[in-house]
Structures are given as structure tokens and as C-alpha cells.
Amino acid sequence: MSTAPAGFTANLVHADRRGGVMHGGVRKPVHTSVQYGFERVEDLIDVFQGKVKGVHVYTRQSSPTVAALEAKINQMEGGVGTICFATGMAAVTAVFFSLLKAGDHLVCSHFVFGNTNSLCGTLTGLGVQVTRVDPTDAAAVAAAMQPNTRMVFVESLANPGTQIPDFEGIAAICQAHAALFVVDNTVTSPWLFQPGTVGADLVINALSKSIAGHGVAMGGSVTDTGRFDWRGYPHIFAPYRQGDPAQWGLTQVRRKGLRDMGGAMMGQAAHDVATGAETLALRVDHSSATALALAQMLEAHPAVARVCYPGLPSHPQHARAQALFKAGAWLLSFELRDAAQTNAVINRLQLAIPATGLADTRTLVIPVAPTIFWEAGPEVRARMDIADGLVRVSVGLEDAADLLADFSQALQGA
Ligand SMILES: *Cc1c(COP(=O)(O)O)cnc(C)c1O
């Protein structure tokens, strides 16, 4: 069977066959077994003593269906290894809690997923100091660095404000400090952008979003891009400082962050995410084109005060998006001139659904201040530039003309 390099989607849809076929099936079966048996007990002992690698012993640590998905995510992100988790938050948690210790300092973007922001509060309680910065400006990151800074965490395209970090600037700062540069690539996805190409050390994807794309399965992943020198990282436990140093970090994330913390993905979810991933490029191209058209229509509308979308020339990081991303992605947010009309406009939508969540096949709309950023409080909302009337739109797969017509009619009279 040919293993010749091909395009993004060709590689993805043929990955299962290239990994070995059972019964001629062109897709991998779903392995549901939690336990794995061995011919002889000596084989089992060898696995525990590290003499045999790459076999599965218990599904909380690894399984064949999840391993097949890990290989696909790794191929898409161009990494040296990938680990999958039950959810995106399990992946974020594993990175923070397996690689940081009390006394460390984390520099985190102001503009991160609400639950990641909440998790930073938990870290603070456990003795990790957290400094929030505006990552669109590398100078702000440089000013926040301390001798004990171990990690800088950003999102490639922030939700809901669509801010884009100065990746290259931050990567250079991290390299000078031997700090890990972690990028959550969920909104752009590896089809629009591969953070490893601009210096990210670890890349996180919430697979529940762009990569699955159908809104019927959850998952998360951590990919090591192979850029970081783990030999200089003081927190790698002795048993994991063995073999290829490029794998030390991921070995620790798998043992401490997956095996011990327990946020394991099950085979059926891995299969569902992998099925969704096959259409990633097609879906994201389509929804990004629709999002651009919707953003342009909203920006020109007299009832709309502001639109945040990286594909618009008015976006502060428009040039960065043009240079680094294949398209502006499927996420936008907007504010009405009369914020008091926000709920009425959303209620008039016929196609777009008032709902939480992102990257479904259906367009989802939510006013963020009274919902997903309510618990965060007014201070965090002000820092994140989230006005009371800000509406987030996660553009789905509907025909662009239908979606634009829906928003047009909903805005009438606003
Ligand atoms: C949704 C999301 C997460 C968390 O993913 P879950 O699968 O919902 O746990 C993390 N980061 C970003 C940017 C997200 O949008």
C-alpha cells in the first residue's frame, strides 16, 4: 500500500488503510475493550518494566481506536507525538497539572476560553502564580516574564473577541527563557493554521469543536511539535528522562496527565471524532467563507456597532491573519448599536440557534456576557473587552444565502 505523501485530506482519509487493514475494511473498527490480555505473564511484566512498548494494557492509558486518532491529529499538526483526552478541558488540565509545580509562574493570555480562565484560578490556589497579558503584543509578554516562568499559554484565535497573538514574537521570548509556548489551536484547527510553524512547543485542540465538527462527540488533544528541549526542563520525573528526549514531555503528560488524572477518551468517541475530521478541510473552508460574508454584511448594517472577525480589514490583527491563516475561520462576534435589542434580534433568528457551544454543523448564537462569561464577573469581562451586548456566532454549514437572509430579517427594526 502506498505511503506516498499526499494532501491534507488525502492523507487523512487513507490513514486507516495505511495503518493496516482488518478484513479489508477501509476504516478502522471501534475497539471497545477496556482490558488487554497477554499470552504469557512474562509479556505483561515486560510491558510494565518498559521492555516492550506500543502495546495497550488498559484503556485509561491507551487503546487502538484512540491511538489511530492520535496518529491522525499528529499528522495534521506535524508533531512528534499526540495524546488524546476525553475533552478539550482534560487536555488543558493535563498540560497545566503535569508540567507545572507550586512556585512556577504561568503567563496566560487575557483572551482564553472561559473554563481555561477558571482553571487558572485553580492553579493559583495550588501555588502557581499566573499573570494575564494581552498576547497580541509580544512586548506585553516580554514584560511579564520572570525567572520562574515555565509556560506561556495563548489561543490561536480567541473566543469570542477573535484576538490573534504575536506568535513569532512570543516564541522568541519563550525560547530565550526556556519556557514552554503552548497554543490552543481549537478555533483555527490544523487545517487553517499549524502553530508549530511559528514556534509553538505544545499544541492543544478541543476535538469537540472544528476537528469533530458534527457536535456529537467530545475530545481533546495535546501535540508536541518537537521544538522544545526537554533536557532543560526541571520538572521531568526521573523515570521519564529515558530514551529520545523529544518524547520526555509527552511521556510525562501521558503518565501524569492522562493515566493518573484519568480524563481518557473512549473508542467510540475517537471513532466519531475521526469520522468528523475527514471533512475538516471541506467544512472549515465552507463555514469560513460564509463567516466572512456574514461579517461583511453585519459590518455594513446600520444597526450594528462593531464586528470582530479577522477576515475584515477593520480587525486589529487582520494582516497577521492574512499572513498566517488560510482563512478567517467560522467564529465572529458583533454588537448592536442598541444593546437593549440584542435578545429580540436573537429571538427573531429562524435558522441560527440560541445555544452554547461552538463548531457544530448548525449555526449557534449566544450573547456572551449574561451566559458563558457571567460567572467570570464584570472585571474579567472588561479586561476581555466583552461588552454587555456582545453576541458570538459560530457559523455552521448552512448555505450562505440562507444564513445571511436569516440575520437580515432578524436585524430589521433593531
Ligand atoms: C471548547 C474549548 C475548549 C474545551 O473543550 P471541551 O471539549 O469543551 O472541554 C478549550 N479551548 C477552546 C478554545 C475551546 O473553544
Side-chain angles (χ1 to χ4, degrees), residues 36 59 67 74 80 95 107 113-114 150 158 179 197 214 222 250 331 340 361 370 380 386 392-393 395 398:
Y36 296 85
T59 284
N74 198 52
V80 297
V95 164
V107 174
F113 185 61
R150 294 267 170 246
T197 61
H214 39 44
V222 178
L250 276 189
L331 177 78
T361 51
V380 170
I386 295 174
R392 179 182 82 187
V393 184
V395 174
E398 298 92 342

PDB file of all heavy atoms in Angstrom, residues 36 59 67 74 80 95 107 113-114 150 158 179 197 214 222 250 331 340 361 370 380 386 392-393 395 398:
ATOM      1  N   TYR A  36      -6.719  -5.603  28.250  1.00  0.00           N
ATOM      2  CA  TYR A  36      -5.935  -6.263  27.207  1.00  0.00           C
ATOM      3  C   TYR A  36      -5.194  -7.442  27.823  1.00  0.00           C
ATOM      4  O   TYR A  36      -4.482  -7.275  28.815  1.00  0.00           O
ATOM      5  CB  TYR A  36      -4.962  -5.268  26.556  1.00  0.00           C
ATOM      6  CG  TYR A  36      -5.736  -4.179  25.850  1.00  0.00           C
ATOM      7  CD1 TYR A  36      -6.193  -3.065  26.540  1.00  0.00           C
ATOM      8  CD2 TYR A  36      -6.096  -4.325  24.517  1.00  0.00           C
ATOM      9  CE1 TYR A  36      -6.975  -2.105  25.924  1.00  0.00           C
ATOM     10  CE2 TYR A  36      -6.877  -3.378  23.880  1.00  0.00           C
ATOM     11  CZ  TYR A  36      -7.314  -2.260  24.593  1.00  0.00           C
ATOM     12  OH  TYR A  36      -8.094  -1.337  23.983  1.00  0.00           O
ATOM     13  N   THR A  59      -7.440   0.837  28.954  1.00  0.00           N
ATOM     14  CA  THR A  59      -7.954   1.889  28.080  1.00  0.00           C
ATOM     15  C   THR A  59      -7.836   3.307  28.654  1.00  0.00           C
ATOM     16  O   THR A  59      -7.865   4.271  27.913  1.00  0.00           O
ATOM     17  CB  THR A  59      -9.401   1.520  27.650  1.00  0.00           C
ATOM     18  OG1 THR A  59      -9.288   0.500  26.661  1.00  0.00           O
ATOM     19  CG2 THR A  59     -10.178   2.678  27.071  1.00  0.00           C
ATOM     20  N   ALA A  67      -5.519   5.490  19.595  1.00  0.00           N
ATOM     21  CA  ALA A  67      -4.174   5.620  19.014  1.00  0.00           C
ATOM     22  C   ALA A  67      -4.250   5.991  17.528  1.00  0.00           C
ATOM     23  O   ALA A  67      -3.452   6.792  17.033  1.00  0.00           O
ATOM     24  CB  ALA A  67      -3.389   4.318  19.192  1.00  0.00           C
ATOM     25  N   ASN A  74      -1.736  14.023  14.992  1.00  0.00           N
ATOM     26  CA  ASN A  74      -0.301  14.290  14.931  1.00  0.00           C
ATOM     27  C   ASN A  74       0.136  14.627  13.510  1.00  0.00           C
ATOM     28  O   ASN A  74       0.916  15.545  13.283  1.00  0.00           O
ATOM     29  CB  ASN A  74       0.453  13.063  15.446  1.00  0.00           C
ATOM     30  CG  ASN A  74       1.862  13.399  15.806  1.00  0.00           C
ATOM     31  OD1 ASN A  74       2.097  14.336  16.554  1.00  0.00           O
ATOM     32  ND2 ASN A  74       2.813  12.673  15.240  1.00  0.00           N
ATOM     33  N   VAL A  80       5.646  15.460  16.814  1.00  0.00           N
ATOM     34  CA  VAL A  80       6.433  14.248  17.094  1.00  0.00           C
ATOM     35  C   VAL A  80       5.640  13.280  17.977  1.00  0.00           C
ATOM     36  O   VAL A  80       6.126  12.201  18.312  1.00  0.00           O
ATOM     37  CB  VAL A  80       7.796  14.563  17.765  1.00  0.00           C
ATOM     38  CG1 VAL A  80       8.666  15.401  16.829  1.00  0.00           C
ATOM     39  CG2 VAL A  80       7.619  15.262  19.112  1.00  0.00           C
ATOM     40  N   VAL A  95      -1.971  19.327  30.640  1.00  0.00           N
ATOM     41  CA  VAL A  95      -0.763  20.122  30.346  1.00  0.00           C
ATOM     42  C   VAL A  95      -0.371  20.958  31.571  1.00  0.00           C
ATOM     43  O   VAL A  95       0.785  20.962  31.998  1.00  0.00           O
ATOM     44  CB  VAL A  95      -0.992  21.010  29.097  1.00  0.00           C
ATOM     45  CG1 VAL A  95       0.062  22.105  28.990  1.00  0.00           C
ATOM     46  CG2 VAL A  95      -0.993  20.140  27.846  1.00  0.00           C
ATOM     47  N   VAL A 107       2.387  32.532  32.298  1.00  0.00           N
ATOM     48  CA  VAL A 107       1.894  33.730  31.614  1.00  0.00           C
ATOM     49  C   VAL A 107       0.767  33.270  30.696  1.00  0.00           C
ATOM     50  O   VAL A 107       0.978  32.419  29.824  1.00  0.00           O
ATOM     51  CB  VAL A 107       3.019  34.420  30.809  1.00  0.00           C
ATOM     52  CG1 VAL A 107       2.452  35.573  29.982  1.00  0.00           C
ATOM     53  CG2 VAL A 107       4.107  34.932  31.760  1.00  0.00           C
ATOM     54  N   PHE A 113     -10.490  30.724  26.533  1.00  0.00           N
ATOM     55  CA  PHE A 113     -11.745  30.024  26.805  1.00  0.00           C
ATOM     56  C   PHE A 113     -12.088  30.187  28.289  1.00  0.00           C
ATOM     57  O   PHE A 113     -11.213  30.082  29.146  1.00  0.00           O
ATOM     58  CB  PHE A 113     -11.521  28.549  26.435  1.00  0.00           C
ATOM     59  CG  PHE A 113     -12.731  27.688  26.538  1.00  0.00           C
ATOM     60  CD1 PHE A 113     -13.857  27.924  25.770  1.00  0.00           C
ATOM     61  CD2 PHE A 113     -12.739  26.597  27.402  1.00  0.00           C
ATOM     62  CE1 PHE A 113     -14.966  27.095  25.855  1.00  0.00           C
ATOM     63  CE2 PHE A 113     -13.847  25.768  27.497  1.00  0.00           C
ATOM     64  CZ  PHE A 113     -14.963  26.030  26.724  1.00  0.00           C
ATOM     65  N   GLY A 114     -13.358  30.454  28.591  1.00  0.00           N
ATOM     66  CA  GLY A 114     -13.762  30.768  29.950  1.00  0.00           C
ATOM     67  C   GLY A 114     -13.355  29.724  30.980  1.00  0.00           C
ATOM     68  O   GLY A 114     -12.927  30.059  32.086  1.00  0.00           O
ATOM     69  N   ARG A 150       7.543  29.260  33.496  1.00  0.00           N
ATOM     70  CA  ARG A 150       7.743  27.953  32.840  1.00  0.00           C
ATOM     71  C   ARG A 150       6.902  27.800  31.584  1.00  0.00           C
ATOM     72  O   ARG A 150       7.158  26.905  30.790  1.00  0.00           O
ATOM     73  CB  ARG A 150       7.356  26.820  33.798  1.00  0.00           C
ATOM     74  CG  ARG A 150       8.236  26.708  34.990  1.00  0.00           C
ATOM     75  CD  ARG A 150       9.379  25.724  34.745  1.00  0.00           C
ATOM     76  NE  ARG A 150      10.319  25.822  35.826  1.00  0.00           N
ATOM     77  CZ  ARG A 150      11.564  26.273  35.683  1.00  0.00           C
ATOM     78  NH1 ARG A 150      12.023  26.610  34.511  1.00  0.00           N
ATOM     79  NH2 ARG A 150      12.356  26.356  36.725  1.00  0.00           N
ATOM     80  N   ALA A 158      -8.883  33.836  19.460  1.00  0.00           N
ATOM     81  CA  ALA A 158      -9.609  33.806  20.735  1.00  0.00           C
ATOM     82  C   ALA A 158     -11.111  33.903  20.533  1.00  0.00           C
ATOM     83  O   ALA A 158     -11.609  34.531  19.603  1.00  0.00           O
ATOM     84  CB  ALA A 158      -9.123  34.936  21.634  1.00  0.00           C
ATOM     85  N   ALA A 179      11.112  28.607  28.318  1.00  0.00           N
ATOM     86  CA  ALA A 179       9.734  28.390  28.775  1.00  0.00           C
ATOM     87  C   ALA A 179       8.949  27.727  27.645  1.00  0.00           C
ATOM     88  O   ALA A 179       9.250  27.925  26.467  1.00  0.00           O
ATOM     89  CB  ALA A 179       9.088  29.725  29.145  1.00  0.00           C
ATOM     90  N   THR A 197       4.496  25.810  13.123  1.00  0.00           N
ATOM     91  CA  THR A 197       5.251  26.534  12.090  1.00  0.00           C
ATOM     92  C   THR A 197       5.682  27.922  12.564  1.00  0.00           C
ATOM     93  O   THR A 197       6.514  28.559  11.926  1.00  0.00           O
ATOM     94  CB  THR A 197       4.419  26.694  10.796  1.00  0.00           C
ATOM     95  OG1 THR A 197       3.241  27.441  11.116  1.00  0.00           O
ATOM     96  CG2 THR A 197       4.023  25.340  10.221  1.00  0.00           C
ATOM     97  N   HIS A 214     -19.175  17.840  14.078  1.00  0.00           N
ATOM     98  CA  HIS A 214     -20.580  17.461  13.967  1.00  0.00           C
ATOM     99  C   HIS A 214     -21.346  17.656  15.271  1.00  0.00           C
ATOM    100  O   HIS A 214     -22.548  17.454  15.321  1.00  0.00           O
ATOM    101  CB  HIS A 214     -20.707  16.003  13.513  1.00  0.00           C
ATOM    102  CG  HIS A 214     -19.703  15.069  14.120  1.00  0.00           C
ATOM    103  ND1 HIS A 214     -19.376  15.085  15.451  1.00  0.00           N
ATOM    104  CD2 HIS A 214     -18.911  14.115  13.555  1.00  0.00           C
ATOM    105  CE1 HIS A 214     -18.455  14.159  15.682  1.00  0.00           C
ATOM    106  NE2 HIS A 214     -18.143  13.562  14.544  1.00  0.00           N
ATOM    107  N   VAL A 222      -3.255  16.891  22.807  1.00  0.00           N
ATOM    108  CA  VAL A 222      -2.023  17.640  23.032  1.00  0.00           C
ATOM    109  C   VAL A 222      -0.990  17.083  22.063  1.00  0.00           C
ATOM    110  O   VAL A 222      -0.747  15.875  22.043  1.00  0.00           O
ATOM    111  CB  VAL A 222      -1.502  17.458  24.478  1.00  0.00           C
ATOM    112  CG1 VAL A 222      -0.190  18.222  24.670  1.00  0.00           C
ATOM    113  CG2 VAL A 222      -2.536  17.901  25.492  1.00  0.00           C
ATOM    114  N   LEU A 250       5.906  14.442  26.477  1.00  0.00           N
ATOM    115  CA  LEU A 250       4.649  13.730  26.232  1.00  0.00           C
ATOM    116  C   LEU A 250       4.514  12.498  27.116  1.00  0.00           C
ATOM    117  O   LEU A 250       3.409  12.147  27.527  1.00  0.00           O
ATOM    118  CB  LEU A 250       4.550  13.306  24.767  1.00  0.00           C
ATOM    119  CG  LEU A 250       4.028  14.342  23.775  1.00  0.00           C
ATOM    120  CD1 LEU A 250       3.798  13.697  22.423  1.00  0.00           C
ATOM    121  CD2 LEU A 250       2.757  15.028  24.258  1.00  0.00           C
ATOM    122  N   LEU A 331     -15.786  31.720  13.333  1.00  0.00           N
ATOM    123  CA  LEU A 331     -16.222  32.385  14.566  1.00  0.00           C
ATOM    124  C   LEU A 331     -16.206  33.899  14.382  1.00  0.00           C
ATOM    125  O   LEU A 331     -15.207  34.452  13.912  1.00  0.00           O
ATOM    126  CB  LEU A 331     -15.264  32.011  15.702  1.00  0.00           C
ATOM    127  CG  LEU A 331     -15.517  32.673  17.048  1.00  0.00           C
ATOM    128  CD1 LEU A 331     -16.681  32.003  17.761  1.00  0.00           C
ATOM    129  CD2 LEU A 331     -14.272  32.583  17.924  1.00  0.00           C
ATOM    130  N   ALA A 340     -29.921  47.007  24.010  1.00  0.00           N
ATOM    131  CA  ALA A 340     -31.196  46.550  24.579  1.00  0.00           C
ATOM    132  C   ALA A 340     -31.980  45.682  23.589  1.00  0.00           C
ATOM    133  O   ALA A 340     -32.908  44.965  23.984  1.00  0.00           O
ATOM    134  CB  ALA A 340     -32.029  47.756  25.007  1.00  0.00           C
ATOM    135  N   THR A 361     -22.483  21.690  13.034  1.00  0.00           N
ATOM    136  CA  THR A 361     -22.939  21.850  11.654  1.00  0.00           C
ATOM    137  C   THR A 361     -23.999  22.944  11.562  1.00  0.00           C
ATOM    138  O   THR A 361     -24.211  23.531  10.516  1.00  0.00           O
ATOM    139  CB  THR A 361     -23.551  20.531  11.137  1.00  0.00           C
ATOM    140  OG1 THR A 361     -24.510  20.084  12.089  1.00  0.00           O
ATOM    141  CG2 THR A 361     -22.475  19.466  10.958  1.00  0.00           C
ATOM    142  N   PRO A 370     -24.185  37.713  29.532  1.00  0.00           N
ATOM    143  CA  PRO A 370     -25.119  37.146  30.514  1.00  0.00           C
ATOM    144  C   PRO A 370     -25.083  35.627  30.610  1.00  0.00           C
ATOM    145  O   PRO A 370     -25.845  35.045  31.379  1.00  0.00           O
ATOM    146  CB  PRO A 370     -26.496  37.610  30.008  1.00  0.00           C
ATOM    147  CG  PRO A 370     -26.325  37.816  28.552  1.00  0.00           C
ATOM    148  CD  PRO A 370     -24.871  38.147  28.297  1.00  0.00           C
ATOM    149  N   VAL A 380     -13.434  40.666  34.732  1.00  0.00           N
ATOM    150  CA  VAL A 380     -12.856  39.822  33.675  1.00  0.00           C
ATOM    151  C   VAL A 380     -13.446  40.206  32.326  1.00  0.00           C
ATOM    152  O   VAL A 380     -12.739  40.309  31.319  1.00  0.00           O
ATOM    153  CB  VAL A 380     -13.089  38.320  33.975  1.00  0.00           C
ATOM    154  CG1 VAL A 380     -12.717  37.450  32.775  1.00  0.00           C
ATOM    155  CG2 VAL A 380     -12.282  37.897  35.202  1.00  0.00           C
ATOM    156  N   ILE A 386     -15.359  42.369  26.595  1.00  0.00           N
ATOM    157  CA  ILE A 386     -16.665  41.767  26.339  1.00  0.00           C
ATOM    158  C   ILE A 386     -17.748  42.726  26.816  1.00  0.00           C
ATOM    159  O   ILE A 386     -18.011  42.849  28.010  1.00  0.00           O
ATOM    160  CB  ILE A 386     -16.797  40.393  27.048  1.00  0.00           C
ATOM    161  CG1 ILE A 386     -15.793  39.412  26.429  1.00  0.00           C
ATOM    162  CG2 ILE A 386     -18.217  39.854  26.935  1.00  0.00           C
ATOM    163  CD1 ILE A 386     -15.734  38.078  27.135  1.00  0.00           C
ATOM    164  N   ARG A 392     -21.886  36.255  20.146  1.00  0.00           N
ATOM    165  CA  ARG A 392     -20.967  35.359  19.441  1.00  0.00           C
ATOM    166  C   ARG A 392     -21.735  34.498  18.444  1.00  0.00           C
ATOM    167  O   ARG A 392     -22.811  34.003  18.758  1.00  0.00           O
ATOM    168  CB  ARG A 392     -20.271  34.451  20.452  1.00  0.00           C
ATOM    169  CG  ARG A 392     -19.309  33.457  19.808  1.00  0.00           C
ATOM    170  CD  ARG A 392     -18.685  32.559  20.847  1.00  0.00           C
ATOM    171  NE  ARG A 392     -19.572  31.447  21.204  1.00  0.00           N
ATOM    172  CZ  ARG A 392     -19.318  30.584  22.184  1.00  0.00           C
ATOM    173  NH1 ARG A 392     -18.229  30.719  22.921  1.00  0.00           N
ATOM    174  NH2 ARG A 392     -20.159  29.589  22.443  1.00  0.00           N
ATOM    175  N   VAL A 393     -21.155  34.345  17.256  1.00  0.00           N
ATOM    176  CA  VAL A 393     -21.776  33.498  16.235  1.00  0.00           C
ATOM    177  C   VAL A 393     -20.773  32.426  15.822  1.00  0.00           C
ATOM    178  O   VAL A 393     -19.654  32.726  15.419  1.00  0.00           O
ATOM    179  CB  VAL A 393     -22.180  34.315  14.982  1.00  0.00           C
ATOM    180  CG1 VAL A 393     -22.905  33.409  13.980  1.00  0.00           C
ATOM    181  CG2 VAL A 393     -23.043  35.509  15.363  1.00  0.00           C
ATOM    182  N   VAL A 395     -20.446  29.891  13.049  1.00  0.00           N
ATOM    183  CA  VAL A 395     -21.105  29.673  11.757  1.00  0.00           C
ATOM    184  C   VAL A 395     -21.046  28.195  11.384  1.00  0.00           C
ATOM    185  O   VAL A 395     -19.988  27.566  11.445  1.00  0.00           O
ATOM    186  CB  VAL A 395     -20.445  30.556  10.671  1.00  0.00           C
ATOM    187  CG1 VAL A 395     -21.023  30.241   9.294  1.00  0.00           C
ATOM    188  CG2 VAL A 395     -20.625  32.030  11.010  1.00  0.00           C
ATOM    189  N   GLU A 398     -24.828  25.795   6.981  1.00  0.00           N
ATOM    190  CA  GLU A 398     -25.970  26.232   6.173  1.00  0.00           C
ATOM    191  C   GLU A 398     -25.470  26.963   4.926  1.00  0.00           C
ATOM    192  O   GLU A 398     -24.373  27.522   4.916  1.00  0.00           O
ATOM    193  CB  GLU A 398     -26.866  27.195   6.979  1.00  0.00           C
ATOM    194  CG  GLU A 398     -27.495  26.595   8.232  1.00  0.00           C
ATOM    195  CD  GLU A 398     -26.646  26.806   9.489  1.00  0.00           C
ATOM    196  OE1 GLU A 398     -25.437  27.106   9.363  1.00  0.00           O
ATOM    197  OE2 GLU A 398     -27.195  26.661  10.595  1.00  0.00           O
TER     198      GLU A 398
END
